[in-house]
Amino acid sequence: RNIMQTVSVRFKHLGLLTSSLFLQTAAFSSRFPYSSSTPLRMGWADTWDDILQGGSQRWKITCEESHQKVISHLDSFLEDKKNNPNQVSTLSVFCPLAGDDPIVHLLWKRGYSVTSIDLVPQAVAQMRNHFKEGSWMSEEQDDGTIIWKHDSGRATLYVGDALVSRPELVNKFDAVYDKDSFGALQKDMRAGFCKRLSEYTKKGGTIYIEVKLKENHHEVKHIGPPFSLKKEDLMAEENFGSAFEHVKELGSVYDIPIPSAMQTGHVLRKK
């Protein structure tokens, strides 16, 4: 029982950690000192309160030009899945640990069906605020997960643990959009995350994934988050390698305000 409790706490920690992607390590340590009595959920709730009240935006990318570059990449690699060039509403995109990433709403506006998941209620509330159109209804599952559904029928937002198995999502998605989630995970926690994405992605489905790459990669690749990652890290057999093939390395996808680091993109396809 104690072992299971420990695993449960680690999984919840994972969801919280990746929800607030990539605080600078020093800033994280000084602003959120951790002790065994610190309620992790409350810590990240305080973080989101600070963001929403005008504090540091931390990991968030707010540049519309950067957003449009991401949308263009996703469009180009999903082109062969469209029924016709002007219709994308039949395509479903999963956005794990998305926080309030504006890309989710932008994909919805482009006609995609979107599903996101994050453990922090404030993040998901802010995500709903991006949708100025329509209204939301919510339901609660037995495990405490809250599911928000948009009246368009094309947007679903989960408030819950991203590593919990969710049978209703198995083999559901044509694509996955992952901004930095994999790169926030400690090495021994990545396999479980990749397993979930493999379960949820259709055969032939696409993963568009962004990760950090630092100039002195070999010297610092074990330091993080954010971890410095290359193709071989993503495609290790225990990670994406067993279920996906690597389609393309995109290089730098947009500029980020982190010295000596690039925001790089990769495209994978489900075998």
Side-chain angles (χ1 to χ4, degrees):
R1 180 178 176 85
N2 289 338
I3 292 174
M4 292 304 295
Q5 288 174 335
T6 300
V7 171
S8 176
V9 168
R10 291 191 68 191
F11 278 4
K12 288 181 182 298
H13 185 192
L14 169 62
L16 290 164
L17 172 64
T18 49
S19 164
S20 52
L21 293 170
F22 302 140
L23 294 169
Q24 295 292 332
T25 302
F28 176 83
S29 298
S30 61
R31 187 173 179 87
F32 301 106
Y34 175 76
S35 71
S36 59
S37 62
T38 302
L40 291 170
R41 185 186 297 271
M42 182 61 70
W44 289 118
D46 291 342
T47 302
W48 274 98
D49 286 342
D50 182 55
I51 290 171
L52 298 177
Q53 291 170 14
S56 168
Q57 296 300 289
R58 297 165 172 88
W59 63 89
K60 293 157 68 75
I61 299 297
T62 58
C63 173
E64 292 186 8
E65 182 180 356
S66 298
H67 296 160
Q68 291 306 317
K69 289 179 179 179
V70 173
I71 296 296
S72 294
H73 283 307
L74 285 163
D75 277 344
S76 66
F77 286 100
L78 290 174
E79 190 70 35
D80 61 341
K81 295 182 173 60
K82 298 178 183 179
N83 293 331
N84 65 69
N86 299 314
Q87 178 59 260
V88 298
S89 63
T90 59
L91 299 182
S92 296
V93 182
F94 183 54
C95 308
L97 305 168
D100 69 338
D101 192 335
I103 291 293
V104 177
H105 177 246
L106 291 174
L107 287 170
W108 178 84
K109 287 186 69 175
R110 289 279 295 117
Y112 293 97
S113 295
V114 293
T115 298
S116 73
I117 185 167
D118 199 283
L119 189 61
V120 181
Q122 295 97 316
V124 179
Q126 186 66 7
M127 176 79 80
R128 295 199 309 275
N129 289 339
H130 291 314
F131 291 75
K132 305 302 181 185
E133 316 88 338
S135 60
W136 296 89
M137 294 288 290
S138 67
E139 61 184 56
E140 184 171 358
Q141 295 185 323
D142 292 340
D143 66 354
T145 297
I146 305 295
I147 304 176
W148 290 90
K149 295 184 178 181
H150 192 264
D151 63 4
S152 66
R154 292 192 296 105
T156 304
L157 313 180
Y158 282 71
V159 184
D161 189 335
L163 291 190
V164 169
S165 177
R166 302 186 185 278
E168 73 272 19
L169 301 184
V170 171
N171 198 37
K172 181 174 181 178
F173 299 102
D174 301 285
V176 174
Y177 162 70
D178 175 4
K179 178 189 175 295
D180 288 321
S181 298
F182 180 88
L185 309 182
Q186 297 290 336
K187 190 172 183 179
D188 64 347
M189 305 180 81
R190 296 170 184 168
F193 178 76
C194 295
K195 180 180 180 181
R196 290 289 171 253
L197 296 193
S198 173
E199 291 171 349
Y200 299 163
T201 307
K202 297 176 182 178
K203 184 177 181 179
T206 298
I207 290 185
Y208 169 85
I209 182 169
E210 294 181 13
V211 296
K212 300 290 189 289
L213 179 61
K214 301 173 186 177
E215 286 183 357
N216 53 339
H217 169 76
H218 292 291
E219 289 76 23
V220 302
K221 63 182 181 179
H222 300 300
I223 302 173
F227 290 97
S228 182
L229 296 165
K230 288 188 171 184
K231 171 184 174 181
E232 54 262 34
D233 302 302
L234 298 174
M235 301 310 296
E237 189 70 11
E238 67 272 18
N239 294 330
F240 290 111
S242 62
F244 293 86
E245 61 181 347
H246 192 276
V247 175
K248 189 170 184 179
E249 190 166 356
L250 301 174
S252 176
V253 288
Y254 51 79
D255 294 334
I256 55 174
I258 299 179
S260 303
M262 294 191 301
Q263 187 78 359
T264 63
H266 297 260
V267 178
L268 317 180
R269 181 173 294 123
K270 179 79 176 292
K271 296 176 181 177

